[in-house]
Amino acid sequence: MSCLTWTCFGRSKPSRFDSSSLVIASPVSEVIMALTSSVKVEHPFNHLIDTLKDGDRKYFNPQKLNDARYDKLPLSIRVLLEAAIRKCDGFYVKEEDVHNILDWSEQQNVAEVPFPPARVLLQDFTGIPAMVDLAAMRDAVTKHGVDPGLVNPVCPTDLIVDHSLQIDLNKCAIQNAPNPGGGDSQSQGPPSRPSPARPTPRRGSQCGGERGSCSKGGCSDTPGRPATAVQQIENTPLLCPFHLQPVSEPETALKNQELELIRNKERLQFFKWCSKAFKNVNVVPPDVGAVHQLNLEYLSQVVQESQGFIYPDSVVGTDSHTTMINGLGILGWGVGGIESEAVMLGQPISLTLPQVVGCRLVGSVNILATSIDIVLGITKHLRQAGIAGKFVEFFGPGMSQLSVPDRTTIANMCPEYNATVSFFPVDHVTLKHFKQTNFTEEKLELLEAYLKAVKLFRSYEDSSEDPQYSEVIEINLSSMVPHVSGPKRPQDRVAVSSMKEDFQSCLNEKVGFKGFHISKEKQESLVPFLHGGQEYELAHGSVVIAAVISCTNNCNPSVMLTAGLLAKKAVEAGLIVKPYIRTSLAPGSGMVTHYLNTSGVLPYLSQLGFEVIGYGCATCVGNTAPLPETVSEAIKEGDLVACGVLSGNRHFEGRLCDCVRANYLASPPLVVAYAIAGTVSINFEKEPLGVTSEGKEVYLRDVWPTREEVQQIEQDKVISSIFTELRARREKGNTFWNNLECPESVVFPWDPKSTYIRSPSFFNKLCKEVQPPQSIENAHALLFLGDKVTTDHISPAGSIARVSAAAKYLLSKRLTPREFNSYGARRGNDAVMTRGTFASIKLQNRLIGKPGPKTVHIPSGQTLDVFEAVERYQRDGIPLIILAGKQYGSGNSRDWAAKGPYLLGVRAVIAESFEKMHKNHLVGMGIAPLQFLPGQSADSLELCGKEKFTITLPEDLSPKQMLTVKTSSGKTFSVTTLFDNEMDVAFYRHGGLLRYVARTML
């Protein structure tokens, strides 16, 4: 057997948790190996190397440890163990770590262990700041005489461009500005669907020019469609947003994609430079698919192979849907942009060895329940079980009833009940799924043989294989009934049968997590308005946005096919969707469009307004065009609680549209159903879904497809040819990307005129020496916040309001509002993102007492924009802190929610509790997360937020240390530092992870 050797430093190895040693010794990238002498040492677990029967593939076999504890480990922990064995180098991963993982039953929730994943997954919103940081790091090391070409990701990294799609064109209403980013929409909506009239083209205007030409035309007849419906569709023109000329309907997605490419050309040029300049970076261009979809269909390998060794696939990603991959038996979870950069540079993820909750599934699935109902049912059970920060691993006889798409949909929702992962080990159902994909027979044989050899393959019928879990929760699948979630939070589930009563109670309740506090006399308000020459009425509960979007559901053929079959039956029954409702369908990838089309249901979805608008994240991240002006005015006139219904997993208030207060998460077929009904205030069991033109009442039960219908079409249409075609399309790319020019230099040539890409200031004044922690003296509170401040509040991802500080900056660069784009698209520009920090219109700052991106400049007493106040504080050299309540930083992972406050000069956040990932981000940016002592809060300490705060930091700062805070009012109280380990302390001492990595290279 050959001897495997590893390269390590030719210097003494410091204690892993010695932060002073960490200053000078950390193999964060291959650059360090190139700059230091090395010695060859034998891998400590060489004796575990084994080969498969063919003799060509080697692997580390934990079974050769001959330790009975291995057979009792949860399979997700076995993946951690294998990675620790394989990557054991005596520095980042020690033999002690391997033994701690093997001793999981005793060390769970105690030992801190490293996890080196096989790959990193980035989406473009979080990927662009990561790559901009690496490009800036090349600049920084160049100034100190280090070869910039040595700065590369060590861990293979995939970057998917999928978050920049905006809905400029859709079926129902077309705005005349291509970008909703803050500008007023002078909407000249198209005529309503029943109207045969077409708009009169502007005299002398031509559709063409540099933004692309527009074609005219209607839809051809579709066999089987009612004549009235065909006429409605044919006589609905799409308008080019630049020229207000008709565009044929099949071009909707193409035009949205074209505008996306034009709008984001600078970013795409930078991404293409990254793909050429950096090693180990694979960039997937736009219009290929959503990041989580591509991760499932294209990037996942289940078993990786490199340099003659095979090992389990694993991934960490910056997309909140990364956990979907656990449905394939691949261990993976979401991390922040800052943590992902560390992994890219060679550092393993550090985590406390997790408890693993076994979720035993029993019973049979209800015939009317979709996988979304199962998702939300399991979410409710696990949220109530209190499993925050734990792994969940599924097993039991009910597993065989869940298809792989069902499993990935369930795995996707684990962040909603605060679990780290929801892991579904590979079984015969998984293998059957892989046979329908691009896996070759040889790959399948290798996969099965390896997983069985290391006991990562499950037979759920054999209970003797059940591992030992921290605890077991049993869930009966037959108890799952259709639900939606809302109107403001994903955890607030409502049975569809109780929807009407629940919405009524929301109108009555005081303003809060569910209530809107509408007076009794106003609850029956009806507001008439004109749309396309016809009069309609809006009421409380009226649906104005209905979106089947790219996250959560589109990867699951069963729910999408159910929606399509429902649409087909509804159209055949003579039902329509009111034309003012903004409907859209943003598939996760071309596979979804393919099977909807080949199954014959796509034309019916289109007929109801659910036309494919493009591929990527749209409605759920705020990339929705404004509602028709008459609709918005009617909502405001009646102070109506209008509703959005979407098939995603995020729906915070105001996120979809400022004037839409109630938003519900629902399965795709229910999104279609509520769009047809036109209201959420309906009891589907007792009230008709709609009435045909002949006056016939049609109920939901009349058009809901059976499970057998759906499964038969899924079996026939989701086949290997789909995956083969998609793989070819992805590898081919698109013409725009292929022809896009980019720099050829090793160091990126920053364009000072660029408003998308700027070299950030994180490495300013970087030197080799580390200063001791500086106490925070006489700081002011920039903001005084309450509970559950989300990362959306801290760093919005949607459109840029015209009156915002970011808008003023962009206007100064001679951009028009239609060219603003979104905050997410401009994450590569620190000037925009810093000004966008705390720019949410929903931010509740107790210093001013009303929502909005304002604060009080305490020395002057003036109410200013947050950024304007910061400029004054920085001019006067005054440090800043933030006061907050419980769960500060909840919601989506967002690195700029930490980077932004850092660049604003925030030195510490004092809160009652933090969302863990955001807390890690603060540490990674050199901001101290400080927690009030149990039972204490800003209110209990009678803080008004206008005091001066002094926080003394000792030179020997340590994890979980108690610090004293003194205020100018004479109050003194204690806080706890939320540094989990010495690595956190080291990051903080260096001023954040990025400066730590760069300084190590020097």
Side-chain angles (χ1 to χ4, degrees):
M1 184 178 295
S2 62
C3 176
L4 183 68
T5 58
W6 291 74
T7 303
C8 64
F9 286 116
R11 57 164 70 108
S12 60
K13 298 173 185 176
S15 167
R16 184 164 186 217
F17 296 139
D18 180 355
S19 63
S20 61
S21 298
L22 285 170
V23 174
I24 60 170
S26 173
V28 293
S29 79
E30 61 196 32
V31 64
I32 297 181
M33 289 190 176
L35 296 176
T36 59
S37 60
S38 62
V39 295
K40 299 289 184 179
V41 296
E42 183 174 308
H43 192 285
F45 292 100
N46 243 356
H47 60 287
L48 300 185
I49 295 177
D50 209 341
T51 58
L52 291 179
K53 290 181 180 179
D54 59 14
D56 294 332
R57 273 95 169 196
K58 302 175 185 176
Y59 64 98
F60 285 91
N61 190 351
Q63 290 202 84
K64 294 181 73 173
L65 289 168
N66 296 319
D67 194 313
R69 291 176 294 179
Y70 181 75
D71 290 343
K72 290 299 180 181
L73 290 179
L75 275 71
S76 52
I77 300 299
R78 296 179 198 180
V79 176
L80 295 182
L81 177 64
E82 189 282 337
I85 291 172
R86 177 168 38 88
K87 289 289 189 177
C88 186
D89 60 358
F91 186 81
Y92 271 138
V93 185
K94 299 181 178 181
E95 292 184 58
E96 176 189 357
D97 297 318
V98 172
H99 295 304
N100 282 339
I101 298 173
L102 188 60
D103 194 28
W104 169 81
S105 62
E106 298 296 326
Q107 296 296 326
Q108 56 181 303
N109 224 23
V110 176
E112 191 83 9
V113 298
F115 172 54
R119 54 191 175 91
V120 175
L121 184 69
L122 305 175
Q123 44 96 333
D124 57 326
F125 272 16
T126 49
I128 194 166
M131 301 313 298
V132 165
D133 290 345
L134 289 182
M137 190 181 295
R138 283 193 169 189
D139 291 344
V141 300
T142 299
K143 293 176 183 178
H144 289 270
V146 176
D147 179 5
L150 295 174
V151 177
N152 291 294
V154 174
C155 187
T157 301
D158 295 294
L159 193 157
I160 318 299
V161 184
D162 76 324
H163 272 54
S164 55
L165 179 67
Q166 293 183 181
I167 306 174
D168 297 305
L169 301 172
N170 82 322
K171 186 76 160 180
C172 310
I174 307 299
Q175 60 189 25
N176 67 347
N179 173 28
D184 292 329
S185 176
Q186 303 296 328
S187 176
Q188 280 187 249
S192 60
R193 288 192 180 94
S195 172
R198 291 184 180 271
T200 303
R202 288 183 177 180
R203 187 171 297 175
S205 70
Q206 294 182 355
C207 267
E210 65 181 55
R211 295 187 187 267
S213 61
C214 300
S215 61
K216 299 180 182 181
C219 289
S220 59
D221 291 355
T222 300
R225 286 161 57 176
T228 54
V230 173
Q231 184 182 23
Q232 291 166 5
I233 299 299
E234 286 182 338
N235 292 319
T236 304
L238 281 170
L239 302 183
C240 166
F242 295 105
H243 310 100
L244 295 182
Q245 297 297 293
V247 180
S248 64
E249 288 174 20
E251 294 185 35
T252 303
L254 293 176
K255 288 298 177 183
N256 278 318
Q257 293 154 13
E258 180 183 329
L259 294 174
E260 175 191 6
L261 296 173
I262 294 169
R263 182 185 291 121
N264 295 284
K265 184 176 180 180
E266 280 186 56
R267 297 170 61 244
L268 297 178
Q269 285 177 320
F270 176 74
F271 284 141
K272 193 162 186 178
W273 173 81
C274 291
S275 69
K276 292 184 175 182
F278 290 106
K279 299 176 183 177
N280 269 345
V281 173
N282 170 46
V283 178
V284 178
D287 190 30
V288 173
V291 55
H292 49 278
Q293 196 74 35
L294 290 169
N295 194 24
L296 288 172
E297 298 172 9
Y298 183 57
L299 302 173
S300 58
Q301 297 296 311
V302 186
V303 173
Q304 293 275 6
E305 188 169 1
S306 178
Q307 298 179 337
F309 277 80
I310 54 176
Y311 50 92
D313 191 7
S314 58
V315 61
V316 293
T318 58
D319 186 74
S320 60
H321 307 291
T322 303
T323 51
M324 272 183 148
I325 204 67
N326 292 279
L328 293 179
I330 299 172
L331 188 63
W333 62 86
V335 297
I338 297 168
E339 292 167 300
S340 68
E341 291 180 46
V343 177
M344 289 165 64
L345 291 168
Q347 288 187 313
I349 292 288
S350 179
L351 73 158
T352 302
L353 196 57
Q355 293 179 297
V356 182
V357 176
C359 186
R360 187 170 186 267
L361 301 182
V362 298
S364 301
V365 176
N366 186 298
I367 191 169
L368 292 180
T370 68
S371 62
I372 306 306
D373 301 313
I374 298 171
V375 166
L376 297 177
I378 291 175
T379 297
K380 178 182 178 182
H381 280 284
L382 296 180
R383 184 182 289 276
Q384 293 172 343
I387 56 171
K390 300 177 184 179
F391 282 15
V392 176
E393 188 167 300
F394 289 82
F395 73 110
M399 283 287 293
S400 60
Q401 298 181 64
L402 300 184
S403 67
V404 166
D406 289 337
R407 298 177 187 191
T408 57
T409 310
I410 294 168
N412 176 72
M413 291 296 279
C414 75
E416 303 306 327
Y417 43 84
N418 294 320
T420 304
V421 300
S422 291
F423 189 70
F424 290 80
V426 174
D427 67 340
H428 70 280
V429 174
T430 323
L431 289 181
K432 184 178 178 181
H433 169 80
F434 290 145
K435 289 178 181 178
Q436 297 176 325
T437 69
N438 276 321
F439 282 62
T440 63
E441 283 298 324
E442 181 185 3
K443 174 73 174 182
L444 287 171
E445 290 174 5
L446 171 67
L447 185 156
E448 185 174 1
Y450 170 71
L451 293 180
K452 288 182 175 178
V454 294
K455 292 194 173 180
L456 287 175
F457 188 89
R458 272 303 319 255
S459 173
Y460 294 108
E461 291 75 20
D462 185 357
S463 60
S464 67
E465 291 185 10
D466 291 351
Q468 173 186 334
Y469 293 109
S470 306
E471 61 177 302
V472 174
I473 298 172
E474 185 169 286
I475 297 178
N476 192 328
L477 296 176
S478 61
S479 67
M480 307 302 173
V481 295
H483 281 77
V484 297
S485 290
K488 300 180 182 181
R489 303 187 304 173
Q491 62 263 43
D492 296 323
R493 300 177 67 237
V494 184
V496 172
S497 58
S498 305
M499 183 64 169
K500 185 172 185 176
E501 294 78 8
D502 188 84
F503 182 76
Q504 186 62 43
S505 69
C506 290
L507 295 181
N508 293 327
E509 288 181 20
K510 293 181 179 180
V511 175
F513 294 135
K514 290 198 69 170
F516 298 101
H517 201 213
I518 304 298
S519 60
K520 291 287 185 181
E521 60 273 13
K522 292 185 177 181
Q523 289 184 13
E524 303 300 323
S525 297
L526 291 175
V527 182
F529 68 98
L530 288 175
H531 179 81
Q534 273 200 322
E535 183 173 289
Y536 300 91
E537 288 182 332
L538 288 180
H540 293 291
S542 290
V543 173
V544 293
I545 295 177
V548 178
I549 55 181
S550 63
C551 58
T552 306
N553 305 293
N554 294 8
C555 69
N556 193 319
S558 66
V559 290
M560 292 301 294
L561 289 172
T562 302
L565 289 171
L566 174 62
K568 180 177 184 291
K569 292 189 175 189
V571 169
E572 290 172 345
L575 300 180
I576 63 170
V577 172
K578 293 182 176 65
Y580 59 80
I581 298 176
R582 186 168 292 285
T583 50
S584 60
L585 169 60
S589 79
M591 185 192 79
V592 181
T593 306
H594 186 98
Y595 67 65
L596 289 178
N597 190 46
T598 55
S599 62
V601 299
L602 192 59
Y604 297 95
L605 285 164
S606 177
Q607 221 165 302
L608 293 180
F610 293 94
E611 185 170 89
V612 176
I613 55 90
Y615 301 93
C617 286
T619 304
C620 60
V621 293
N623 289 349
T624 302
L627 297 175
E629 190 173 343
T630 53
V631 175
S632 300
E633 289 175 351
I635 293 171
K636 293 173 184 176
E637 178 185 339
D639 190 27
L640 299 177
V641 180
C643 298
V645 187
L646 66 152
S647 59
N649 72 343
R650 285 286 193 274
H651 65 337
F652 299 118
E653 186 178 8
R655 183 167 185 167
L656 305 189
C657 181
D658 293 344
C659 60
V660 179
R661 285 189 276 174
N663 297 299
Y664 288 90
L665 303 181
S667 64
L670 284 177
V671 172
V672 176
Y674 280 113
I676 295 171
T679 179
V680 300
S681 184
I682 181 174
N683 185 326
F684 285 130
E685 296 176 4
K686 299 178 180 179
E687 299 175 64
L689 183 64
V691 180
T692 67
S693 57
E694 293 80 20
K696 179 184 176 182
E697 293 183 342
V698 179
Y699 288 81
L700 181 60
R701 59 180 173 269
D702 299 328
V703 294
W704 190 275
T706 66
R707 193 172 181 85
E708 289 74 21
E709 286 179 279
V710 175
Q711 289 178 340
Q712 185 61 50
I713 292 181
E714 183 177 1
Q715 177 102 21
D716 294 340
K717 304 303 175 183
V718 185
I719 54 178
S720 59
S721 62
I722 296 174
F723 290 87
T724 303
E725 179 184 335
L726 286 175
R727 180 180 289 272
R729 185 167 65 87
R730 291 178 192 126
E731 292 175 352
K732 180 180 178 182
N734 61 57
T735 303
F736 183 94
W737 175 264
N738 294 339
N739 296 335
L740 190 66
E741 295 182 356
C742 69
E744 299 291 338
S745 54
V746 177
V747 176
F748 186 71
W750 307 98
D751 180 0
K753 296 180 181 179
S754 174
T755 57
Y756 278 101
I757 310 293
R758 248 176 58 119
S759 180
S761 56
F762 302 129
F763 302 101
N764 288 358
K765 300 179 181 179
L766 179 68
C767 59
K768 295 182 180 180
E769 296 75 23
V770 185
Q771 301 300 317
Q774 300 294 312
S775 294
I776 304 171
E777 298 182 355
N778 296 319
H780 278 305
L782 176 62
L783 298 162
F784 187 5
L785 306 172
D787 296 339
K788 296 191 175 180
V789 174
T790 70
T791 51
D792 272 343
H793 292 123
I794 304 170
S795 183
S799 58
I800 299 173
R802 292 183 71 171
V803 296
S804 65
K808 294 174 185 176
Y809 168 80
L810 294 173
L811 289 170
S812 73
K813 299 295 183 180
R814 299 184 178 181
L815 269 65
T816 63
R818 71 167 54 187
E819 296 170 311
F820 285 174
N821 215 320
S822 63
Y823 283 113
R826 293 192 180 273
R827 287 186 185 179
N829 186 327
D830 61 320
V832 172
M833 297 307 297
T834 304
R835 287 166 173 80
T837 303
F838 298 113
S840 170
I841 60 173
K842 299 296 182 182
L843 185 70
Q844 293 277 359
N845 181 10
R846 294 172 62 178
L847 292 178
I848 60 172
K850 59 181 180 181
K854 302 280 186 179
T855 194
V856 174
H857 178 251
I858 296 171
S860 67
Q862 289 182 276
T863 298
L864 304 170
D865 284 342
V866 172
F867 186 76
E868 290 178 316
V870 164
E871 287 184 308
R872 292 197 186 185
Y873 284 125
Q874 290 184 344
R875 180 189 63 199
D876 298 332
I878 298 175
L880 299 171
I881 66 167
I882 291 172
L883 296 175
K886 300 181 182 70
Q887 296 182 35
Y888 179 78
S890 57
N892 288 54
S893 162
R894 196 160 292 167
D895 58 342
W896 270 107
K899 289 179 176 178
Y902 172 81
L903 292 179
L904 291 180
V906 174
R907 298 280 306 279
V909 178
I910 306 177
E912 292 178 62
S913 64
F914 293 81
E915 197 279 331
K916 183 178 180 180
M917 186 176 291
H918 183 66
K919 185 269 295 181
N920 292 339
H921 285 187
L922 293 176
V923 173
M925 286 311 304
I927 297 175
L930 307 177
Q931 189 170 37
F932 289 110
L933 297 185
Q936 291 188 351
S937 65
D939 289 335
S940 70
L941 295 169
E942 298 181 346
L943 301 177
C944 69
K946 296 184 178 182
E947 306 90 341
K948 291 182 180 179
F949 297 83
T950 295
I951 306 170
T952 303
L953 297 175
E955 289 192 14
D956 58 344
L957 191 62
S958 61
K960 304 293 184 181
Q961 190 169 358
M962 199 88 72
L963 302 180
T964 300
V965 181
K966 297 180 181 178
T967 69
S968 57
S969 64
K971 291 186 176 69
T972 298
F973 60 95
S974 296
V975 294
T976 304
T977 63
L978 295 188
F979 301 128
D980 291 335
N981 48 49
E982 290 293 343
M983 184 68 79
D984 282 357
V985 174
F987 289 163
Y988 180 74
R989 292 178 65 231
H990 281 261
L993 168 67
L994 294 172
R995 295 176 70 87
Y996 166 73
V997 171
R999 186 172 283 119
T1000 304
M1001 290 185 178
L1002 303 184

